[in-house]
Amino acid sequence: MYIYAHRGFSGEYPENTMIAFQRAYELGVDGIELDVQMTKDGELVVIHDERIDRTTDGIGYVKDFSYRQLRLFDAGGWFHTRFTGERIPTLVEVCDWLSDQKRSIVLNIELKNSIIRYHNMEEKLLTLLYSYRSWPHQVVCSSFSVQSLCLLHQLDPNVDKAMLVEGSQRHVLNAIRSFHAQEVHCDWNFLISQEGEKVSQEIDICVYTVNEPFLFTELMKRDVKAVMTDFPNRLFRR
């Protein structure tokens, strides 16, 4: 069972920052999960929330700032003063960094487009990924938006896609068949639901967000492909 660092090593470093990704990679994770929003000037940036209030010293929506404006905000001090000076990275920055790493891992890019529909996000993402000619890492694109995943499939049927689900969501099998998903990413509650049992018989399952070793041990019995965790160091000790 693979271990993916959820928003990087976000349990001990500010989430979705370069230091969180670097420390996760150094720890030896099998994959890194991150979130992508889009700025006013069309830059793909790595941040979970539609607003910057929670994880920076700024206020407002990502979509209302240019990337140059976003770079002015601190994205590390909210977590601890020793991380003051961390910035919101672009997806290009992360991909450039990862392309220099020798060990191959999975990069799970979550498109945060189910609340705000970012125009051309899917096209921009694929254009960026195509620019890396010698890319040793697997990329999986995930989203809660079926519309977005269907569009990705239309643009490139070969891109790996994962549907994000939670709770006792229904009709998941019909959705994943519509865009030929390779994986479903879900929480524990969906996994043990009736629908989750059916889905797990047909497609690979990754479970988020697993921070307790006892749950990790339980998931190992269920043939889960991967877990996403804020604390990969806790699970590596098992």
Side-chain angles (χ1 to χ4, degrees):
M1 188 163 63
Y2 297 129
I3 297 175
Y4 295 170
H6 181 243
R7 308 180 198 172
F9 193 167
S10 58
E12 295 191 6
Y13 300 89
E15 64 180 62
N16 281 325
T17 60
M18 293 308 301
I19 193 170
F21 302 141
Q22 179 70 46
R23 294 296 182 264
Y25 185 87
E26 292 170 355
L27 193 62
V29 297
D30 303 296
I32 289 174
E33 185 269 353
L34 54 77
D35 308 281
V36 172
Q37 310 266 358
M38 199 160 75
T39 64
K40 181 170 63 176
D41 51 347
E43 188 74 56
L44 297 177
V45 290
V46 181
I47 182 171
H48 178 271
D49 299 357
E50 286 70 26
R51 295 183 62 91
I52 67 173
D53 309 35
R54 181 177 65 85
T55 57
T56 79
D57 58 353
I59 297 174
Y61 286 93
V62 174
K63 68 179 181 64
D64 293 333
F65 294 97
S66 69
Y67 181 62
R68 289 188 63 182
Q69 291 171 322
L70 280 185
R71 289 291 288 187
L72 299 176
F73 299 117
D74 178 82
W78 68 274
F79 192 87
H80 194 281
T81 54
R82 68 178 180 275
F83 301 120
T84 299
E86 286 291 322
R87 302 297 170 190
I88 298 172
T90 62
L91 185 58
V92 172
E93 285 181 82
V94 177
C95 290
D96 283 348
W97 162 76
L98 193 55
S99 67
D100 290 334
Q101 309 307 311
K102 295 180 179 179
R103 182 173 61 84
S104 179
I105 65 170
V106 176
L107 180 62
N108 177 191
I109 301 171
E110 180 181 341
L111 285 73
K112 303 295 291 187
N113 49 11
S114 57
I115 296 177
I116 295 174
R117 186 72 184 98
Y118 293 110
H119 182 61
N120 286 337
M121 173 181 266
E122 295 82 5
E123 291 90 340
K124 286 178 178 291
L125 173 61
L126 291 176
T127 299
L128 186 158
L129 295 176
Y130 294 156
S131 69
Y132 294 89
R133 296 183 183 275
S134 56
W135 178 262
H137 310 281
Q138 180 190 0
V139 174
V140 177
C141 300
S142 65
S143 179
F144 282 101
S145 169
V146 173
Q147 177 186 0
S148 179
L149 293 169
C150 286
L151 179 55
L152 274 174
H153 184 69
Q154 292 171 14
L155 293 168
D156 185 349
N158 296 314
V159 66
D160 287 346
K161 300 169 291 294
M163 182 176 175
L164 278 158
V165 298
E166 62 182 339
S168 56
Q169 191 168 333
R170 302 175 64 185
H171 309 300
V172 173
L173 277 176
N174 290 338
I176 62 177
R177 288 168 181 163
S178 69
F179 54 84
H180 301 278
Q182 283 70 41
E183 299 174 355
V184 164
H185 297 176
C186 66
D187 61 3
W188 168 261
N189 290 327
F190 177 79
L191 180 69
I192 62 175
S193 70
Q194 187 175 9
E195 183 80 358
E197 294 286 348
K198 291 191 294 184
V199 169
S200 64
Q201 294 174 17
E202 185 165 320
I203 196 169
D204 285 334
I205 300 286
C206 301
V207 178
Y208 64 86
T209 303
V210 181
N211 290 332
E212 299 302 332
F214 77 89
L215 184 54
F216 179 76
T217 302
E218 179 63 30
L219 289 169
M220 289 184 70
K221 305 173 186 176
R222 291 176 171 265
D223 198 29
V224 168
K225 178 182 179 179
V227 295
M228 299 180 188
T229 178
D230 301 330
F231 296 93
N233 56 324
R234 293 179 182 174
L235 305 189
F236 276 122
R237 286 200 290 263
R238 302 300 295 170

